[in-house]
Amino acid sequence: MTASSTGPLLELDNVTISYQRRRDRVDAVRGVSLIIQPGEAYGLVGESGCGKSTLAMAVMRHLPRNGILSGGQVLFEDRDLFRLNQAELRRVRGGRIAMVYQNPESALNPTLKVGEQVAEVFRLHRALRHRPAAEAALDMLRKVRIAEPDRVVGLYPYQLSGGMRQRVVIAMALAADPALLVLDEPTTALDATVQADILDLFTDLRGEMKAAILFISHNLAVVQQVCDRIGVMYGGELIEQGTVAEVFKRPRHPYTAALFDCIPDFGVRKSDRRLAGIAGGVPDLAALGTACLYEPRCLISRQLCRVEHPDLMRAGSRHLSRCFFHAETPAPGAAARVRPEAVPVPDVTAGIPLLSLHGVGRRYGRAHILKDIDLEIAPGETFGLVGESGSGKSTLAKVISGLVPPSAGTVALAGERVAGQVGKRTGRQRRDVQMVFQTPDTTLNPRKKVASILGRAVRVLAGLGGKRKRDRSSALLGDVQLPVEMLRATPDRLSGGQRQRVAIARAFAGDPRLVILDEPTSALDVSVQASILNLLLDLQRESQAAYLFISHDLAVVRYLSDRIGVMYLGELVEVGPTERVFRPPFHPYTQALIAAVPRLGGAAPERPVSLDKPAPGPSERPEGCPFQTRCPRAYDRCRAEAPPWRDAGEGHMIRCWVALDALEASQSAALKPRRVQAPLPIGRRP
Amino acid sequence: MLRFFGRRLLLLGVTLVVASVLIFAITNVLPGDVGRIILGPFAPQDAVARLNAELGTDRPIVIRYVDWLTGVARGDWGRSYAFDTAVFPLVVERLGRSLTLAVSGLVVLVPLAVAAGVAAARREGGIFDRVLSTVSLAFGALPEFVTGVFLILVFGIWLGALPIQALPPDGAGPLTVIAHLVLPVGCLVLLLFAYLFRMTRASMIEALAADYTRTAELKGLPQRTVIWHHVLRNALLPTITVIGAQIGWLVGGLVVVETLFKYPGIGSLIHFAATNKDIPLLVGCSLAITFVFALGNLAADLLYAILNPRVRHGRHAH
């Protein structure tokens, strides 16, 4: 290996990457220059479609067939990656540069044992023989803290949880002790609790290994936790670069500042402020003019921005910005405070609840997917439902909407019991409960135009026909802030955010009283998420509809919800007003969920409860409290008997054997902020 | 794996029982009066009754089925009306010949089609892919009596290079046997190539684009290892199922090829039995083909399970 001791590890010099599309050529990455020093962690952020992943793939020299490096150089250890021959390239790949990707589901070969998949790297790059390679693989799995590594080596990927799979992928990447680790959204597909564990693992591994990191993520808080320096990409260009400390304290590009404002800070509520989305969308790379790419969406743009394309300019000693007016970049939060939100506060205690569930359960064979759910939602209320994947949130949503009939208990709408199956409900009852799903790509018929998608909903749900149907469709489109021309478009012509707006418009076609939102923004960029959340608030103010909002993102749930329910293994373990749920005492499980939220701002509470151990499946439900197998406070009684509901006041209920004052005392102590790992100096040689 | 094998074996038993009931029902019950069918519409009624009694077809249906089934199990498959010999040895002899032809066909076809599919998928849309896709589809669309006659004309008659009869003379050496099989096997391969080739090609393209293939490439593995170790195991799964399903047809459905190349296999035998209303023979042939079909599928399932751990372990074990 020709690892030089002085030069940078990776140097991108004016890199332009183009995709050939029929006749024209589109530059997906344009003139990006950046340097990563040995041992350094560099974060790359930006919305989808801004070229982050293309850049990562260029570092692996693994571009799609129609992609070419049309300008510049990628130098790794002083060698031009794009001039290596195949044999040299193979030695670099996996040996010197390794990669971890977003989707651990598909990154592992389903037909090979995971131990073998890790051992393969040792045989290839370390020239180990079969037996020593297998032992080295076992060691590696231990190093990435997989529980029971001896058992796991013999398992196939489908037998592992998502977090375990990602650990295997990480073990595979670290196996050859690479000099550079490319991480492309490595935690995006994981539960928040698992994400927190994996991020901790990266932080720890940085102490043990000397690999530099190129970390690609749309999640600023995650980048902040792991990286030393950060680069922000927009429209294929690097528009800002600096140390994490500087950029997070004082961004020098309006786009970066706007990205910060899109994210609901953990603790911000809808009554505090409206989220600032970023108007418009990412630029069309096929039709770029000479202006600043961000100009159409920029809040501080001027005449100069419309005629001249800015170069990267110095905005601080180690800080670069591609903005003429970088000194005027508004501080994060400044734009957002302009419009405080007036939100109606529903009266939860008075009157008949809109929705009430009593003893609702759902089982398949011997497995309880839902167990003994009691829940009430008031008219106009927003009820947030949180929990890890597999906790039964979506099944509960389907039971309420009648898509999955309950096997026990009753569902009542406005005091009136409704049938378990949607087909047996009355038209009014069906209209009252509507659903919006996570992926609008698959819920909208790709062959139908928006007009026909909405028209059908209007006809079925509102009973309108002819011109009145068309008028109502147009009005609905206006309500979700889409132009009327979109009636003629098919879903594939719309962006992800626009499709979700259509799905929301469809749900509102028949004046529903309860809209179930199942992770409606999880697949969207933060800027789009912000505008969708704002839209949901606007629609609620006008329609008085209640929301059941399901999300794994606690910050979003906290922002939007009046009350929150926490689910674990098909049971509700805590219910209460939002601010009460986020204040001690909480259920130990809630505490673990809250501790796992990656936060901007550098301070996070200790993680006293690590959920490293995966949840048992519904068929292996433990005796007593469902959480006892992972709970640090569990004692004998928890293992024997189901815990009681304890009343913490103001409608805040916790299902736990531990006395509330004992919970509160220890949890308040744990909440004292600690410094998150301080950003490391650049070029640090470990 | 053992449990999986046991379950499959049990399923095989059930399949065979159901098939035997169906075969028995179709051949012994649906035709109605067997004696009348054999003797024709103008035979006197008492002759028909006498024949029915002789054949035992006047007894209750369940007893006839049980009787028949025990006979089948003991190797007594009845006597052929037309040949007036025992059915079992006749069927076994013909089945052996058909299996020879089918196995020879598969031995040539499978590696050829899979290799071509892999090569075409790796250069999807390339010249090899496009030419082979078009040509193979054209041959696959031609009926076997056209390709067969074409082969006979070119290689057997004009060039005189190969025998046009598939059946070698008695006591022929292995080379002669192979020479006789070349043309019928070639005809089979041309017929089935497109199907298998396209199946392999499609699943290869999918597997090559999969994330785990990218993982393997970015590990720095050489192309050969990526293909052999990572891609093929996944890509071959659908192809294996297709091959399993083809075996039954390859054994019993080759009437045209057998006739063309004067090859006395089971396909022409069952055709003869059907046209001559030789019911015991028809039943025997059907049974033999069913058996081969079920075994072929069993073999395909086992191979599939060996390559696919999920199937082997039975169900989702999270």
Side-chain angles (χ1 to χ4, degrees), chain B residues 24 56-71:
Chain B
F24 180 79
T57 49
D58 53 350
R59 290 174 306 150
I61 192 87
V62 179
I63 293 179
R64 274 165 63 201
Y65 173 71
V66 172
D67 243 27
W68 173 78
L69 201 62
T70 30

Side-chain angles (χ1 to χ4, degrees), chain A residues 484-684:
Chain A
V484 181
E485 299 83 73
M486 277 194 184
L487 280 174
R488 286 193 300 275
T490 46
D492 60 316
R493 303 281 300 277
L494 308 181
S495 71
Q498 289 170 335
R499 272 180 235 159
Q500 196 60 298
R501 283 169 192 268
V502 172
I504 291 169
R506 184 171 65 172
F508 275 90
D511 291 317
R513 286 200 279 177
L514 173 66
V515 179
I516 301 171
L517 303 148
D518 191 354
E519 304 266 11
T521 61
S522 303
L524 304 174
D525 269 317
V526 283
S527 61
V528 183
Q529 164 173 292
S531 59
I532 295 278
L533 293 180
N534 286 336
L535 171 69
L536 287 173
L537 284 174
D538 294 342
L539 287 171
Q540 189 173 42
R541 193 166 2 168
E542 284 153 30
S543 68
Q544 305 293 321
Y547 288 158
L548 175 64
F549 188 86
I550 298 174
S551 178
H552 67 278
D553 186 335
L554 285 195
V556 169
V557 172
R558 188 173 185 178
Y559 174 78
L560 206 67
S561 308
D562 302 308
R563 283 194 308 142
I564 285 184
V566 182
M567 282 189 78
Y568 185 78
L569 222 58
E571 294 181 41
L572 274 170
V573 295
E574 180 165 0
V575 180
T578 302
E579 273 323 295
R580 292 299 307 263
V581 169
F582 284 99
R583 228 169 41 215
F586 359 76
H587 192 280
Y589 178 60
T590 314
Q591 188 183 8
L593 286 182
I594 292 173
V597 177
R599 262 157 253 222
L600 287 173
E606 290 282 353
R607 296 187 50 227
V609 193
S610 168
L611 295 184
D612 204 23
K613 218 168 150 192
S619 48
E620 296 117 47
R621 170 187 298 277
E623 291 286 303
C625 173
F627 189 55
Q628 50 108 334
T629 51
R630 299 163 87 192
C631 183
R633 313 194 54 130
Y635 64 109
D636 296 345
R637 195 157 195 191
C638 308
R639 299 190 187 94
E641 283 174 78
W645 280 107
R646 293 181 186 271
D647 191 347
E650 297 176 48
H652 183 198
M653 307 288 287
I654 299 172
R655 199 173 200 179
C656 187
W657 275 118
V658 184
L660 293 186
D661 40 355
L663 278 177
E664 183 165 11
S666 69
Q667 287 165 344
S668 302
L671 266 188
K672 297 232 166 60
R674 64 162 170 155
R675 278 296 292 160
V676 201
Q677 202 227 354
L680 294 154
I682 295 167
R684 181 191 72 120

Side-chain angles (χ1 to χ4, degrees), chain B residues 258-272:
Chain B
E258 285 175 6
T259 312
L260 261 179
F261 294 95
K262 298 243 180 332
Y263 192 74
I266 201 164
S268 43
L269 188 65
I270 196 173
H271 179 68
F272 173 86

Side-chain angles (χ1 to χ4, degrees), chain A residues 16 85 122 129 294 302 410 482 511 519 537 548 559 565 601 632:
Chain A
T16 297
N85 64 34
F122 285 105
R129 301 177 77 78
Y294 186 61
R302 304 193 194 160
T410 58
L482 289 177
D511 291 317
E519 304 266 11
L537 284 174
L548 175 64
Y559 174 78

